[in-house]
Structures are given as C-alpha cells and as structure tokens.
Amino acid sequence: MQIAQHTVATLEYTLTDDSGQVLDTSEGRAPLAYVHGTGSLIPGLEKELEGKASGDAFQIRVPPDMAYGERDEAIIQTVPRSQLPAEVEIEVGMQFQAESEHGMHVLTVMEVQGETVRMDPNHPLAGVSLNFDVKIVEVRAATSEEIEHRHVHGPEGHDH
Ligand code: ZN
C-alpha cells in the first residue's frame, strides 16, 4: 500500500541540521505514526512521503520555506524584565511559552540588558534546512474516526 490521502503511515526518522547535529529522532522510541493529508507534518516532508510504500527508505532536505519558515527579525521583541517570572534567573537561550491569537508559541531569550530582555518569537527551527533520513515501517488505511480526529488511534497512537 502506498502513502496517500487518509492513510496512516508509520515511519522511523532522524532529523539533522546542515552541520549534522541531530535535532530529533525516533531512534530508541516508538516510530512516528500520522494520518497523511491532514497537515500534521511539515509540508516539505508530507509532500515527499506521498506515494512511498512500506520498506522505502530515503533522505530529503527540506528548505525553511517548506518547513518552519524563514526567520523574521522584525518580530523580535524587547520586553521589561518584570513581565517574566521573578523567581527565574533569565539566561540567553532560555525558552518561554506564550499564548497569541495563533495559539501557543515559544519565545527564546536572545539578550538580557539590565531591566529589559530581547525575546525571539521565531520558531526555533525557522530559517533552518531540515535533513530527514526516513524509513517507512507500515502503511494502512485510516479509520473514519482517525480521519475525523486527524490523528492516529490504537497501539501506535493514543486511545480514547
Ligand atoms: Zn482521537
């Protein structure tokens, strides 16, 4: 069976950046299962998976515009230190979750300047090309409930 709209594909993968650093991997845990065609993966990866079958293995490089987008320097914010939790010592690279009209997103501390903090709302992987090493483990038809929920049920997904 080939990966197509509303199939459930299970895959093993390792994600690295261009310097070879591993950003994410399914190694040592359960493979990733997803419902194809529901936008649950980054667009560049989902597109390449289309038509692949169980046993297929391949490597792809997904540019930022097909992954988490380009970095936007214009959205960097300078916020008063007092807006951040007082009990935490703020350090560069520290990440905070914030809620906006687009849902939850991550703000990364870029710089601490006295009473102000420069925060970067860009996705941590914005501007990064993603190198995927993928092996397809299984492809099956999604159930109507899985299509409706846009996620996988059963042993490889959640149960409810
Ligand atoms: Zn569900």
Side-chain angles (χ1 to χ4, degrees):
M1 187 166 193
Q2 289 183 317
I3 298 178
Q5 181 79 9
H6 297 160
T7 55
V8 169
T10 305
L11 39 108
E12 291 171 354
Y13 70 96
T14 296
L15 168 60
T16 52
D17 64 16
D18 282 345
S19 71
Q21 192 194 341
V22 175
L23 303 173
D24 191 15
T25 180
S26 64
E27 210 176 301
R29 55 185 162 91
L32 170 75
Y34 78 101
V35 183
H36 190 79
T38 58
S40 49
L41 302 183
I42 58 165
L45 178 59
E46 189 153 2
K47 182 170 143 271
E48 288 295 326
L49 286 163
E50 180 98 27
K52 297 287 196 299
S54 116
D56 285 355
F58 62 98
Q59 293 176 321
I60 55 160
R61 184 168 189 272
V62 180
D65 64 329
M66 293 292 278
Y68 293 99
E70 299 289 353
R71 283 183 54 78
D72 181 0
E73 303 298 327
I75 62 173
I76 290 166
Q77 303 167 7
T78 301
V79 302
R81 169 67 183 85
S82 57
Q83 279 188 15
L84 298 168
E87 69 279 12
V88 179
E89 187 169 349
I90 307 299
E91 285 169 16
V92 172
M94 201 172 256
Q95 295 184 327
F96 292 90
Q97 294 226 320
E99 204 167 356
S100 74
E101 69 266 37
H102 305 299
M104 294 299 284
H105 66 131
V106 172
L107 293 163
T108 307
V109 175
M110 296 180 75
E111 202 179 353
V112 184
Q113 303 159 309
E115 286 308 300
T116 60
V117 182
R118 294 220 306 150
M119 305 281 279
D120 184 0
N122 284 289
H123 189 284
L125 292 178
V128 178
S129 292
L130 304 178
N131 300 288
F132 286 94
D133 195 331
V134 180
K135 184 173 180 233
I136 315 297
V137 179
E138 192 197 357
V139 184
R140 65 169 171 83
T143 65
S144 55
E145 197 183 46
E146 285 172 327
I147 293 164
E148 194 188 320
H149 291 196
R150 301 155 77 96
H151 58 222
V152 176
H153 293 170
E156 70 271 68
H158 66 195
D159 193 19
H160 66 157

